Amino acid sequence: VRSRRQRQMCIRDSTLTAPAGFGLWRARPRQMFWITMLSRLSSTGLTFGNELPLHAACIEDISAEAFGPGRFARAAARVREMASHAPELSFVACLNGQVIGSVRQTPVLVGTTPALMLGPLAVRPAYKGMGVGKSLMHMAADAARNAGEAFIFLVGDRGYYMPLGYEPTRPGSIVMPGPVDPMRVLVLPLDGGAVETLEGKVTARFR
């Protein structure tokens, strides 16, 4: 049970800013519906920023709401147990100071190649379909690229992530520490590298 102080921290944060590069990609015609919804939210206090320690309890609440207790049995959870996520590459969306969405990225090695594992990405149910998740994804990719990362990979739905630039991998090329549907393992190359070059066992990367 969270303390009153923890609950207050979930809904207060004055350090958040608009997503970097937002004006560059929000005008794509095929995204007009969720852009309109996102603009409406922005006019009522929607802000984005890096994850801070005070957001931890809220992010856990959102993840529990989105994925339930089964999230701890997933292969991605095994990765996060052996490697800490990077707050400087992880982001939250807040509406009037209340966290409504988050995305985390964890530095790992795939074989001997440095990469980031993205996830979890989660948005409160009331705000799904409004572009919040896609905004967080764009921010995560931009931050990773600016940090000199070459690849982001994740386990997720092709229909959602492939329009954002993610590509399928050769089944079995990325070996997770637990069972995973190989059709759901997707990679985003950030520097023009070939997806096929990212292969091997996923292990912790110590920075």
Side-chain angles (χ1 to χ4, degrees), residues 8 65 72 96 151 165 186:
Q8 289 173 335
E65 185 176 36
F72 297 116
N96 297 321
F151 296 100
L186 307 173

Side-chain angles (χ1 to χ4, degrees), residues 32-95:
M32 286 308 298
F33 172 76
W34 65 261
I35 289 165
T36 300
M37 298 302 295
L38 190 62
S39 297
R40 291 175 181 173
L41 286 177
S42 296
S43 68
T44 60
L46 178 67
T47 54
F48 295 82
N50 280 105
E51 178 186 329
L52 301 174
L54 60 85
H55 297 134
C58 302
I59 292 171
E60 177 58 27
D61 283 350
I62 293 173
S63 294
E65 185 176 36
F67 304 112
R71 68 192 186 281
F72 297 116
R74 297 182 179 185
R78 304 286 79 76
V79 176
R80 288 189 285 270
E81 287 175 356
M82 65 185 180
S84 299
H85 73 283
E88 69 275 14
L89 300 176
S90 303
F91 298 90
V92 294
C94 290
L95 185 63

Side-chain angles (χ1 to χ4, degrees), residues 51 59 62-63 91-93 99-104 120-123 136:
E51 178 186 329
I59 292 171
I62 293 173
S63 294
F91 298 90
V92 294
V99 178
I100 63 169
S102 70
V103 64
R104 283 176 166 173
L121 168 70
V123 177
L136 290 167

